[in-house]
Amino acid sequence: MREGEKAEDGAKGRGQGMSSETTVKAGLPEAFLDRMQQMLGGEYPDFLRSYQEEEIHALRVNSLKCRITEVVGKAPFSLTPVPWCSEGYYYEAKERPGLHPWHDAGVYYIQEASAMAPAEYLGALPGERILDLCGAPGGKSTQIAAAMKQQGVLICNEIHPARAKILSENVERMGICNGIVTNESPQRLAERWPEYFDRILVDAPCSGEGMFRKNADARKEWSAQQVSLCAGRQDEILECAVRMLKPGGRLVYSTCTFAPEEDEGTVFRLLEKYPELRTTAVPAGSGMTAGEPRWACPEGTAEEPHGLSDTIRLWPHKLKGEGHFVAILEKSGDGPWAAKPRDAKEKGRKKGLPDAEIESYLKFRKEYLPDVELDGTYVLFGDQLYLVPGEAPRLEGLKVLRPGLHLGTRKKNRFEPSHALALALRPEQVRDVRELSSASMELAAYLRGETLPGQGEKGWYLITADGFSIGWGKQSGSVLKNHYPKGLRKP
């Protein structure tokens, strides 16, 4: 179970639709309830009552696309701040921001509020090398990218092919230029990139207990055996992450489960195996509580080991969000990796293309994007032209879904810009722009794939929705031909 992001579900407001305690218990695994009662003691009734309340709805504004003030106060739906995320906002259940054109334009990402905490605590900075090891569906990857401000390199990885495709689509929708999407196992990446990353996020696959309120499938799939299986998998993933983290780097581990075996227990086992790691206190906000070492330590342990109380838990009965666990770990400069050169993995990096190979793109850029400067290395995959981040490591031999920003398709004597490029551009960067209102019939027709009437200079136009880039059109005579991707068109 992952971060539990989804667009809409028409749920009632929080606190409505109350059911009896018996009904709540009937919908949850008995062994889970017994353990939670032991863990929470006097708080258990409050915890149980939280299951009588409907899920919380939230979104995160994409600062790569716009300023927060351009959305908050101007959006056609109510927004109130999420305390632990400066770009996070709650919205009412009856509202449908996932169906609004701004969602298609990448203005925001529909994301569960508690799931915004791990990437916030990662503390990503522009120019760094960062890995989101278990990245799908993309909420945390795109949140990290926003903090990086298109500078540095972000590897967004997902081991499952179908989920990796969704991850890649969300990286594109949010207009990310410095993101690379891979579909690899943690073991393969660890072999390729030892001690390479400044920061790594491991939002690990888990038993999903924190999402029981909003996900009935998670309840049905739960078992004590599954908890143990998840804990073992988390140990393996984290060992790979430690190998890839540079000395002095930061590792954030998170889950959406309450199970101590997967939370404090996983951190305890990791620190027992790697003494060069240490926990760093997670700044706990209102409604968050410190992790409990007693839930993870072997019976009879006299002292708290490794500072497990530096970790935090987000509880659905204490805050507006679902259940989550977060730990920050840092790696000292001591250890066998300290003497290894960091540049070993840089040898053999793919060189950029000569101008003659990308002449059609350079002509397009000069004509339509005269003021755009994009940093990186041009790479061709067949006729598809990509801009790979300048700090990117070697990618040869890996399963790569998106090696960087997809610029477009090189065709005979011409260049056709990609949808990804449109979403990554701001209107002021493009020579010709067709501005449409999000409430207009014209924009609705454009999103259905229809041509638009109108006069203008022949050539490519950036289409905008209330000033936010959403796709391309090509003016020919009195018609603007539609280049909105067929797979994204509305019925």
Side-chain angles (χ1 to χ4, degrees):
M1 183 66 192
R2 297 301 309 282
E3 61 194 52
E5 302 164 14
K6 65 178 183 178
E8 311 289 337
D9 72 351
K12 297 179 181 179
R14 187 175 177 87
Q16 295 180 352
M18 289 289 190
S19 59
S20 68
E21 181 175 307
T22 301
T23 303
V24 171
K25 288 184 175 180
L28 295 167
E30 184 177 350
F32 164 75
L33 291 172
D34 290 344
R35 192 195 70 216
M36 296 308 300
Q37 187 168 17
Q38 293 176 7
M39 289 170 61
L40 293 174
E43 288 187 25
Y44 177 70
D46 290 337
F47 173 77
L48 201 60
R49 275 192 291 273
S50 72
Y51 286 90
Q52 299 173 342
E53 302 173 344
E54 297 293 348
E55 65 178 277
I56 304 300
H57 298 265
L59 58 80
R60 180 176 43 78
V61 176
N62 180 14
S63 60
L64 295 179
K65 193 85 175 184
C66 57
R67 294 184 296 273
I68 290 178
T69 53
E70 293 180 281
V71 178
V72 179
K74 299 179 181 179
F77 29 85
S78 59
L79 296 173
T80 55
V82 172
W84 50 87
C85 179
S86 60
E87 297 168 349
Y89 290 85
Y90 299 107
Y91 63 90
E92 296 296 327
K94 63 183 178 181
E95 297 168 328
R96 309 296 296 275
L99 301 180
H100 194 278
W102 287 6
H103 182 266
D104 301 291
V107 175
Y108 47 74
Y109 192 104
I110 306 295
Q111 187 175 21
E112 199 281 307
S114 294
M116 300 176 190
E120 195 78 6
Y121 289 132
L122 187 67
L125 295 172
E128 293 184 322
R129 299 170 174 177
I130 299 180
L131 169 66
D132 186 359
L133 189 51
C134 311
K140 297 176 177 68
S141 286
T142 57
Q143 187 175 353
I144 295 168
M148 296 179 74
K149 303 183 186 302
Q150 309 285 35
Q151 301 172 44
V153 59
L154 171 62
I155 307 291
C156 313
N157 182 69
E158 173 58 43
I159 191 172
H160 299 290
R163 290 173 58 80
K165 182 180 178 182
I166 296 171
L167 170 62
S168 183
E169 291 168 352
N170 280 320
V171 166
E172 174 176 292
R173 182 171 63 85
M174 303 299 274
I176 296 167
C177 297
N178 64 326
I180 295 171
V181 180
T182 57
N183 172 213
E184 284 290 352
S185 69
Q187 290 78 10
R188 283 264 293 159
L189 296 185
E191 291 170 3
R192 175 64 70 90
W193 297 325
E195 302 94 49
Y196 180 75
F197 294 100
D198 299 293
R199 301 175 198 262
I200 298 176
L201 175 64
V202 177
D203 181 46
C206 68
S207 57
E209 295 174 2
M211 296 296 159
F212 279 0
R213 181 167 63 180
K214 65 182 293 183
N215 191 324
D217 289 339
R219 304 178 204 174
K220 296 175 183 177
E221 295 168 1
W222 185 92
S223 69
Q225 181 183 18
Q226 186 202 24
V227 169
S228 295
L229 288 172
C230 287
R233 188 181 303 122
Q234 291 152 7
D235 291 346
E236 294 174 0
I237 294 172
L238 284 169
E239 287 177 13
C240 294
V242 173
R243 290 171 59 190
M244 289 186 278
L245 188 66
K246 76 168 191 177
R250 170 173 287 195
L251 167 65
V252 168
Y253 171 69
S254 64
T255 73
C256 57
T257 188
F258 304 117
E261 188 177 354
E262 301 179 69
D263 293 343
E264 292 92 344
T266 295
V267 176
F268 175 78
R269 295 189 299 275
L270 184 68
L271 295 174
E272 283 284 286
K273 186 167 185 177
Y274 296 100
E276 60 274 10
L277 295 177
R278 62 180 177 84
T279 57
T280 297
V282 179
S286 176
M288 303 180 187
T289 63
E292 287 284 355
R294 61 189 173 89
W295 291 340
C297 303
E299 190 173 347
T301 302
E303 298 180 0
E304 175 196 333
H306 308 299
L308 290 181
S309 59
D310 286 337
T311 64
I312 62 165
R313 285 175 172 268
L314 287 74
W315 296 99
H317 63 290
K318 290 178 174 288
L319 48 71
K320 289 182 65 176
E322 306 301 331
H324 238 76
F325 172 85
V326 185
I328 300 175
L329 303 108
E330 295 188 353
K331 186 178 187 180
S332 73
D334 303 323
W337 47 80
K340 293 182 181 179
R342 267 190 91 189
D343 62 354
K345 60 202 72 63
E346 304 305 315
K347 297 176 181 178
R349 177 187 287 166
K350 185 181 286 291
K351 296 180 180 179
L353 297 168
D355 286 356
E357 287 285 313
I358 56 173
E359 183 178 358
S360 61
Y361 165 72
L362 295 176
K363 182 180 179 181
F364 167 86
R365 191 180 72 179
K366 182 178 180 180
E367 185 173 1
Y368 296 105
L369 314 174
D371 299 322
V372 172
E373 290 292 336
L374 296 174
D375 180 43
T377 302
Y378 295 107
V379 175
L380 276 168
F381 288 82
D383 289 328
Q384 304 304 310
L385 181 64
Y386 285 84
L387 187 70
V388 178
E391 288 294 312
R394 290 177 52 218
L395 300 173
E396 293 85 348
L398 297 175
K399 297 175 186 174
V400 180
L401 276 69
R402 184 173 294 271
L405 176 62
H406 184 205
L407 296 173
T409 305
R410 187 183 63 168
K411 298 189 175 183
K412 187 177 181 180
N413 299 323
R414 64 187 177 89
F415 182 80
E416 187 170 295
S418 71
H419 186 60
L421 178 59
L423 293 172
L425 293 169
R426 296 186 302 277
E428 61 268 24
Q429 295 177 300
V430 185
R431 189 192 72 181
D432 298 321
V433 177
R434 178 75 175 267
E435 298 180 355
L436 302 176
S437 166
S438 62
S440 69
M441 297 296 290
E442 280 187 306
L443 183 60
Y446 174 76
L447 295 176
R448 290 194 299 268
E450 299 174 15
T451 58
L452 300 179
Q455 299 293 329
E457 187 175 347
K458 180 181 178 181
W460 291 98
Y461 281 69
L462 183 70
I463 311 301
T464 66
D466 300 333
F468 304 122
S469 58
I470 199 169
W472 292 109
K474 192 172 185 181
Q475 188 72 36
S476 178
S478 61
V479 173
L480 186 71
K481 295 181 179 179
N482 197 308
H483 282 262
Y484 196 67
K486 291 182 179 179
L488 300 178
R489 293 177 182 178
K490 309 300 181 184

